[in-house]
Amino acid sequence: MDHATQLRSATADAGVLLEARELSFAYAAGLPEVVRGASLALRRGVLAALIGANGSGKSSLIRLLGGIARPSRGEVLFDGVPLRSLEPRARARRIAYVPQASAGVFPLTALEVVLMGRSPYTSRFRFENERDIAVARDALAAVDAAHLAARSVTELSGGERQLVALARALAQEPECLLLDEPSAALDLKHRAGLVRHLGRLRDERGITALIVTHDLQLLDPAFDQVFAMRDGAVVAAGTPAEVLRDEVLAAVYADEHVRARQAFGRTFVWSE
Amino acid sequence: MLLALVLAVSTVVALWAGYAPIAFADLSGDEMARLLFFRLRLPRVLMAGMVGASLAMVGASLQALFRNPLAEPLTLGVSGGGALGASIAIAFGFGAKVAGVPFIFLAAFAGSGAAMLVVYRLARTGAVVMPGALLLAGVVLNFVAASFVVIIQYFTDYSRALQILRWTIGSLDVVGFDLIWRMLLFLVPGWITLALMARDLHLIALDEETAESLGVNVRRSERLVYAASSLIVGVTVAVGGTIGFVGLIVPHAVRLLFGEDVRVILPCSFLLGAAFLMLADAVARTVLGVGELPVGAITALAGGPVFLWLLRRQQRLAAM
């Protein structure tokens, strides 16, 4: 971290890592805005979720937060610094983004894919060195996928592919992970496993993570923060206990049949 | 290393083979042999190497850019566009130059660029590009371009029409060192641009959003690859006609040998492409005994089955 960054982050709210201020975004000029004045503050070192109905702008918002897309209005602050002032490769060393799972076309090995996460650290004409390979193998091991290293990604199951994508993001050695619907393609066991991995990364490495999910059962008690979107804006934010309530969810999903009940130390959510 | 060796051997073989085999020992003494060798055969083999290297490198780049193993200058219609541009130039007369640059280069470059633009637009309309749609568009572009070429042939005089016909199938017939220098002036910047893009293409081949999140400016890389590819294909088509499938066979052979890393595939395709087209051209020159086949016919004969095999393999993967 250079001196200027240090100064600025000292003046910013020390507890907030990633902040969105009144973001708006449309895919092209003339098209309707999919994000409309969305604001949120993601605290450092937490596991957080972004929920909301289909088409509410979750994926677009997380792409804005990751710097993959630029907001038409508003600003993203990362560690107190405007995100757009970061050079893309410098940004990639601090924020890792995992898009919705895609199968891929070319039969790269899992290790080759994870090594791509090292590209923000290597120069244009260098291949990855010993340390990069060690980091990549460590990243695979951190998500219990070391055994997949030599397998071709086109042959992996959806769950295995998700783990490889997560390992690729970890290989970037980021402070912040942004995942777009990582649990969508996963079965019961792998969903729980993914949340366990993210919790462990938070506890052991202090990695902040924000995931887009429809899986409301996962949130309590594993998550620290929940943001709920409706019509392109963040309409509710807080702990899972604060957001997972009948009246809040009814407003978020525009569905008065949603119920949230606590039992066995967790919150169950369903729609009648 | 291995590929450099393959390239060296191919060069020697290609230099030796011909309607009149030249014994290398004769070069020191025989005046006729020397003339034949340095004036005709050497430039022609060099030309084959340059064109082959170019097409293979462009093919490998486009496959990564579109995440489509079946992409190459011919299947995407880029060659067709270039051929149309070049035909127009031939119909108006070979000799014309604009600021020292042969008109046919510029016309072919414009044609490839236009075709590339259509493909680009198509690829950009949705978030997802259907691999089939891309190739279909390429086929249609080729058809449209070919129809225009036929119409042009109809309206030009006999000798020029024959010139166009001979040249559209792809041949490395026309040659001289002068032309080689002039081509290199265009090809080298194109080659360098693609080589500089190798790392970005490696990441884009996985998926665009991931590449963007890893710090690649995807739009910029994409435009540079389009521009460099159009330039390279335009110039090679202007000189050699549409020599198809080199950009398909060679990168896939490299993949089988060295794996899927685009940073490896690009330079290796460059070397192997050169070797491949030199040999294909040597076959084209010698197989008939008297006279010669257009080299485009040889590469198409070799490339068609490879394309079908890849298609079958891809369908099996998609079914899985």
Side-chain angles (χ1 to χ4, degrees), chain A residues 8 11-12 14 37 102 109 115 124 157 209 219 226 270:
Chain A
R8 256 172 296 176
T11 58
S102 69
T109 67
L115 275 172
R124 199 168 276 280
S157 71
L219 303 185
V226 178
W270 72 95

Side-chain angles (χ1 to χ4, degrees), chain A residues 38-81:
Chain A
S39 299
L40 63 78
L42 179 65
R43 293 206 317 276
R44 192 185 301 273
V46 300
L47 179 51
L50 184 58
I51 63 171
N54 292 328
S56 59
K58 304 183 296 295
S59 293
S60 299
L61 178 59
I62 205 168
R63 292 170 82 244
L64 294 174
L65 292 173
I68 315 299
R70 287 258 180 109
S72 46
R73 278 196 311 280
E75 190 166 45
V76 180
L77 295 178
F78 180 72
D79 208 3
V81 182

Side-chain angles (χ1 to χ4, degrees), chain A residues 63 68 88-89 91-92 97 99 105-108 113 116 119-120 122-125 127-128 168 172, chain B residues 63 67-69 195-196 199-200 202-203 205-207 209-210 212-215 255 260-261 263-264:
Chain A
R63 292 170 82 244
I68 315 299
R89 283 162 55 79
R91 183 197 71 217
Y97 164 80
V105 178
F106 299 105
L108 292 148
V113 170
M116 287 182 178
S119 78
T122 52
S123 71
R124 199 168 276 280
F125 292 109
F127 283 85
E128 294 80 12
R168 190 268 304 155
Q172 289 172 246
Chain B
Q63 282 152 26
R67 288 176 297 284
N68 190 330
L196 283 171
R199 184 187 64 184
D200 295 359
H202 179 54
L203 301 177
L206 180 69
D207 120 60
E209 286 200 312
T210 301
E212 189 85 41
S213 78
L214 287 169
R255 283 201 168 87
E260 294 288 338
D261 193 325
R263 298 166 299 177
V264 175

Side-chain angles (χ1 to χ4, degrees), chain A residues 231-248:
Chain A
D231 298 334
V234 178
V235 292
T239 62
E242 287 164 348
V243 176
L244 299 182
R245 296 208 319 260
D246 290 1
E247 66 276 18
V248 177

Side-chain angles (χ1 to χ4, degrees), chain A residues 1-259:
Chain A
M1 205 190 287
D2 63 303
H3 188 60
T5 328
Q6 244 166 2
L7 267 183
R8 256 172 296 176
S9 52
T11 58
D13 182 350
V16 175
L17 181 62
L18 193 56
E19 187 182 354
R21 287 184 180 166
E22 292 289 319
L23 297 182
S24 293
F25 175 74
Y27 278 98
L31 290 181
E33 286 181 337
V34 283
V35 177
R36 276 188 291 237
S39 299
L40 63 78
L42 179 65
R43 293 206 317 276
R44 192 185 301 273
V46 300
L47 179 51
L50 184 58
I51 63 171
N54 292 328
S56 59
K58 304 183 296 295
S59 293
S60 299
L61 178 59
I62 205 168
R63 292 170 82 244
L64 294 174
L65 292 173
I68 315 299
R70 287 258 180 109
S72 46
R73 278 196 311 280
E75 190 166 45
V76 180
L77 295 178
F78 180 72
D79 208 3
V81 182
L83 187 62
R84 61 184 155 67
S85 73
L86 288 179
E87 193 265 323
R89 283 162 55 79
R91 183 197 71 217
R93 290 192 281 268
R94 306 185 67 188
I95 306 178
Y97 164 80
V98 179
Q100 288 182 35
S102 69
V105 178
F106 299 105
L108 292 148
T109 67
L111 184 62
E112 282 175 314
V113 170
V114 177
L115 275 172
M116 287 182 178
R118 296 306 294 168
S119 78
Y121 295 91
T122 52
S123 71
R124 199 168 276 280
F125 292 109
R126 289 269 168 70
F127 283 85
E128 294 80 12
N129 59 27
E130 297 288 310
R131 187 182 124 68
D132 294 319
I133 293 169
V135 171
R137 288 200 179 277
D138 175 60
L140 273 169
V143 295
D144 297 327
H147 60 289
L148 299 177
R151 296 268 303 276
S152 151
V153 285
T154 47
E155 290 167 3
L156 299 181
S157 71
E160 291 169 329
R161 222 177 277 140
Q162 192 64 56
L163 289 180
V164 172
L166 184 57
R168 190 268 304 155
L170 286 180
Q172 289 172 246
E173 301 184 301
E175 294 156 55
C176 182
L177 275 175
L178 303 171
L179 287 75
D180 195 357
E181 291 202 36
S183 60
L186 304 186
D187 61 29
L188 205 63
K189 174 186 157 189
H190 287 98
R191 282 173 196 214
L194 179 76
V195 172
R196 263 200 310 279
H197 286 312
L198 292 173
R200 209 165 69 196
L201 291 168
R202 171 195 60 191
D203 299 338
E204 291 172 7
R205 305 189 185 190
I207 294 179
T208 309
L210 175 66
I211 78 170
V212 170
T213 186
H214 285 298
D215 230 335
L216 304 182
Q217 321 290 357
L218 290 176
L219 303 185
D220 190 25
F223 283 66
D224 308 300
Q225 264 189 305
V226 178
F227 304 99
M229 284 190 86
R230 181 177 175 182
D231 298 334
V234 178
V235 292
T239 62
E242 287 164 348
V243 176
L244 299 182
R245 296 208 319 260
D246 290 1
E247 66 276 18
V248 177
L249 292 175
V252 167
Y253 288 96
D255 175 7
E256 75 252 35
H257 307 296
V258 184
R259 302 281 177 272

